[in-house]
Amino acid sequence: MNPATEGDTPLPARVAEHLQPGESLVAAIWVSRPAGVEALRISRSEMSPWRLRRAAPESRRGVNGLPRSHAVTLDEHIRTVNDPRVLARTDRRLLLLSQGLGSWRDLLPRPAGTLSPLRLRWESPRTDLTKATEQSGELRLDFTDGSYLVLLTPSAHVQPFLDG
């Protein structure tokens, strides 16, 4: 499903099932990868089937950090605007959730107006996020390990996410 078609569905209600007892949701927003991902530079030795490699984080626009940093591990779960994710900030954690397809039950027909549940993809303690800012209409997340990530978001919802 596309978030544009789910405008009447309250996002906080969909995130609520992932909250721990006593935890409260501060804000939630749809996020995706910004355009402008650079092409991979592949050498002849890297084309060998014995040496398959993933794109290095520095080859993706908007992500900066070491391979196991918060920004890079979060970026591994971010998709394009065709498959956006939900970034939720609680008083304790930062969560990344995706839509359905967690099990075969998500493929079964649902009553009209019923959405598939969100699936937890990534989480981090809230204290690992040092700041969240708007940068040219995009959301920038800075982490305690010095890494950062820039995400594409609906511009009308960035400020409420930052204020929350």
Side-chain angles (χ1 to χ4, degrees):
M1 288 191 177
N2 185 336
T5 63
E6 297 177 346
D8 297 334
T9 305
L11 196 51
R14 295 190 68 195
V15 174
E17 69 184 61
H18 295 282
L19 300 180
Q20 297 171 345
E23 185 176 30
S24 60
L25 179 65
V26 175
I29 191 170
W30 290 101
V31 297
S32 60
R33 184 181 313 275
V37 176
E38 295 180 15
L40 293 175
R41 294 177 190 88
I42 300 176
S43 68
R44 184 176 285 190
S45 65
E46 289 173 327
M47 291 176 63
S48 165
W50 304 108
R51 297 189 49 131
L52 294 176
R53 294 185 183 186
R54 293 174 53 145
E58 57 273 0
S59 69
R60 294 189 296 258
R61 181 181 147 240
V63 63
N64 183 15
L66 296 173
R68 299 301 338 149
S69 66
H70 292 295
V72 172
T73 57
L74 172 56
D75 183 64
E76 291 172 359
H77 299 283
I78 302 293
R79 300 294 180 260
T80 62
V81 294
N82 295 334
D83 185 18
R85 303 297 163 108
V86 175
L87 182 67
R89 189 169 47 134
T90 73
D91 57 342
R92 299 180 195 167
R93 299 180 294 160
L94 192 62
L95 309 170
L96 185 73
L97 306 159
S98 68
Q99 299 187 69
L101 298 180
S103 74
W104 62 271
R105 288 186 181 100
D106 293 334
L107 301 174
L108 296 175
R110 299 185 172 280
T114 305
L115 300 171
S116 63
L118 295 174
R119 181 176 169 205
L120 181 64
R121 294 288 184 161
W122 178 90
E123 69 178 306
S124 173
R126 171 65 181 86
T127 55
D128 289 342
L129 178 67
T130 57
K131 68 179 177 178
T133 56
E134 182 179 3
Q135 178 180 320
S136 303
E138 298 174 334
L139 177 64
R140 178 178 165 143
L141 304 174
D142 289 87
F143 295 95
T144 55
D145 60 7
S147 63
Y148 69 85
L149 177 64
V150 178
L151 300 169
L152 183 62
T153 62
S155 59
H157 299 137
V158 173
Q159 199 58 46
F161 183 84
L162 297 175
D163 293 341

